[in-house]
């Protein structure tokens, strides 16, 4: 926990699980490595006297693959405090399996997500992560026109992306479905044919998933900016309209 300087009882929660099926280089260890690096950087800022206005909590969950157990138990145990004081929960499971940004969020945080990735450079393409994301959505829209076009009709930018059907696939579940908190789930994705297998290892990550760890680094940038904007904003950046 990085204690906030002005409203320490209010906090943003950043979560990732640390249990894997086998080696889990992508799922979840890329997210775990990103979270540890982000904690190091924000902790360094705090030691230099640059604390956020509100607190930031780093959560490392166990037994996600078993039954979302660690996050669910914690969310239930501290439910009253979370409902009173948590501003948002930002989940990164496996942070990186390729170069394509993906996010699901409650609708009131769509603008925050889009504005954050607008300010992060895509390390493998020209322009920002937002620009790459928008092009990917336009490509998806074009691919379904004439067939299953209904779902993608009117999609022109990530802020409108109808990818907010979060379901219950990761540790955000207790925060969304039980506590009713604003959540974001995000990753850099790609062709990930080694999911939950013995081949999800460091060799695959370094040669196929994220050579040079560029997108893992970019996720640290995205995650950290989003957390600090929530923690430092004069007014919470929830767009309920």
């Amino acid at each position: 926990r990085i204690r906030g300087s002005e409203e320490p009882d209010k906090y943003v929660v950043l979560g990732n699980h640390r249990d894997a099926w086998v080696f889990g280089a992508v799922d979840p260890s890329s997210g775990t490595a990103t979270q540890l690096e982000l904690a190091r950087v924000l902790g360094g800022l705090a030691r230099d006297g640059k604390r956020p206005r509100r607190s930031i909590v780093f959560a490392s969950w166990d037994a996600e693959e078993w039954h979302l157990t660690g996050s669910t138990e914690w969310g239930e145990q501290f439910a009253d405090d979370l409902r009173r004081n948590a501003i948002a929960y930002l989940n990164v499971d496996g942070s990186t399996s390729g170069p394509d940004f993906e996010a699901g969020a409650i609708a009131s945080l769509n603008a925050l997500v889009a504005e954050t990735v607008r300010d992060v450079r895509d390390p493998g393409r020209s322009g920002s992560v937002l620009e790459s994301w928008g092009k990917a959505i336009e490509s998806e829209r074009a691919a379904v026109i004439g067939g299953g076009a209904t779902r993608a009709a009117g999609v022109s930018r990530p802020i409108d992306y109808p990818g907010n059907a979060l379901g219950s696939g990761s540790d955000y579940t207790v925060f969304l479905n039980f506590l009713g908190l604003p959540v974001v789930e995000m990753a850099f994705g790609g062709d990930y044919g080694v999911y939950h297998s013995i081949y999800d290892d460091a060799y695959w990550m370094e040669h196929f998933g994220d050579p040079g760890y560029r997108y893992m680094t970019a996720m640290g940038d995205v995650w950290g900016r989003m957390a600090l904007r929530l923690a430092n904003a004069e007014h919470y950046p929830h767009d309920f309209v």
Side-chain angles (χ1 to χ4, degrees):
R1 179 185 293 258
I2 296 175
R3 185 173 174 81
S5 61
E6 296 180 33
E7 300 177 61
D9 292 338
K10 300 294 182 182
Y11 53 92
V12 183
V13 183
L14 282 59
N16 163 267
H17 73 94
R18 63 181 180 271
D19 63 305
W21 274 71
V22 191
F23 301 117
V26 173
D27 178 15
S29 298
S30 62
T32 304
T34 301
Q35 186 184 54
L36 290 171
E37 176 65 2
L38 184 54
R40 185 189 68 80
V41 171
L42 296 185
L45 289 174
R47 283 191 295 275
D48 290 340
K50 300 172 183 175
R51 290 183 174 274
R53 180 175 185 169
R54 306 177 188 95
S55 297
I56 296 175
V57 174
F58 294 91
S60 174
W61 310 121
D62 197 5
E64 188 267 0
E65 301 292 4
W66 176 252
H67 226 177
L68 311 181
T69 304
S71 56
T72 300
E73 292 284 351
W74 191 81
E76 291 175 346
Q77 181 176 349
F78 298 105
D80 291 343
D81 185 70
L82 284 157
R83 288 191 175 114
R84 278 196 311 271
N85 294 313
I87 300 162
Y89 175 70
L90 309 179
N91 193 69
V92 173
D93 197 312
S95 73
T96 314
S97 61
D100 301 322
F101 184 74
E102 305 164 349
I106 67 162
S108 64
L109 291 181
N110 278 0
L112 174 68
V113 174
E115 289 165 5
T116 302
V117 297
R118 176 196 63 196
D119 297 333
V120 176
R121 185 182 65 83
D122 187 316
R125 306 179 177 106
S126 62
S128 68
V129 172
L130 179 65
E131 290 173 313
S132 299
W133 190 18
K135 290 174 184 176
I137 290 170
E138 283 299 313
S139 176
E140 177 184 334
R141 181 173 182 268
V144 297
I145 291 297
T150 305
R151 185 180 70 84
V155 176
S156 59
R157 55 201 171 106
I159 197 171
D160 295 327
Y161 184 51
N164 287 350
L166 282 162
S168 61
S170 191
D171 288 301
Y172 59 79
T173 303
V174 68
F175 298 95
L176 176 66
N177 296 336
F178 178 63
L179 298 170
L181 295 175
V183 304
V184 177
E185 157 78 2
M186 54 190 169
F188 282 98
D191 294 332
Y192 182 28
V194 299
Y195 177 63
H196 280 180
S197 79
I198 195 171
Y199 301 105
D200 182 7
D201 60 8
Y203 181 91
W204 188 90
M205 174 63 80
E206 291 170 354
H207 290 79
F208 304 104
D210 188 22
Y213 298 105
R214 296 181 300 167
Y215 284 95
M216 208 180 295
T217 302
M219 178 54 75
D221 198 347
V222 171
W223 207 2
R225 285 174 187 260
M226 198 176 295
L228 287 173
R229 290 178 186 189
L230 285 161
N232 285 322
E234 183 176 354
H235 303 288
Y236 299 155
H238 300 120
D239 180 2
F240 294 111
V241 174

